[in-house]
Amino acid sequence: HGGSTFQLIGYASASRFGALSPAISASLGSFAPLTDPRALSVQPARGDVVSPPSSMTLATFLQRYPSTEKPEVVALINQFGEDARLSGGVPYKRVIAR
């Protein structure tokens, strides 16, 4: 496609392959150029890295360094829980634009 070679693979255990074969075939058969303008116009989120000077909660971090994403997303991209205490001087990620 478009001068590139793609390898599409359907994977299932041997015992389940027969039952899943129609779904795998349909999925592989649907490979085509993307034409939906809504999908083509999607822009990636922009991130920023901030190192707060002192220890703080996630809520305080988001008050001082606003993010366009919800607290649970900020916690997820930083790999900590929403109740974690953030250490001062450590870099943390936030989302600043879409």
Side-chain angles (χ1 to χ4, degrees), residues 72-97:
E72 57 266 24
V73 173
V74 175
L76 177 68
I77 64 175
N78 284 289
Q79 299 181 333
F80 56 70
E82 291 181 63
D83 59 347
R85 187 137 186 98
L86 286 66
S87 300
V90 175
Y92 295 102
K93 296 169 262 190
R94 66 186 178 130
V95 180
I96 57 171

Side-chain angles (χ1 to χ4, degrees), residues 1 5 7-8 12-13 17 26 28-29 42 47 49-50 54-55 57 63 65 68 71 80 85 88 90:
H1 172 72
T5 301
Q7 181 177 12
L8 307 174
S13 65
F17 190 81
L28 298 178
V42 170
V49 178
V50 179
S54 60
S55 177
T57 65
Q63 286 172 348
Y65 309 102
T68 57
F80 56 70
R85 187 137 186 98
V90 175

Side-chain angles (χ1 to χ4, degrees), residues 10-26:
Y11 182 81
S13 65
S15 63
R16 302 259 308 136
F17 190 81
L20 296 173
S21 183
I24 292 170
S25 293

Side-chain angles (χ1 to χ4, degrees), residues 13-65:
S13 65
S15 63
R16 302 259 308 136
F17 190 81
L20 296 173
S21 183
I24 292 170
S25 293
S27 177
L28 298 178
S30 70
F31 182 76
L34 185 59
T35 58
D36 184 340
R38 293 174 300 159
L40 291 168
S41 67
V42 170
Q43 296 296 311
R46 287 188 47 229
D48 186 32
V49 178
V50 179
S51 297
S54 60
S55 177
M56 63 184 65
T57 65
L58 178 58
T60 302
F61 175 80
L62 291 174
Q63 286 172 348
R64 292 186 187 171
Y65 309 102

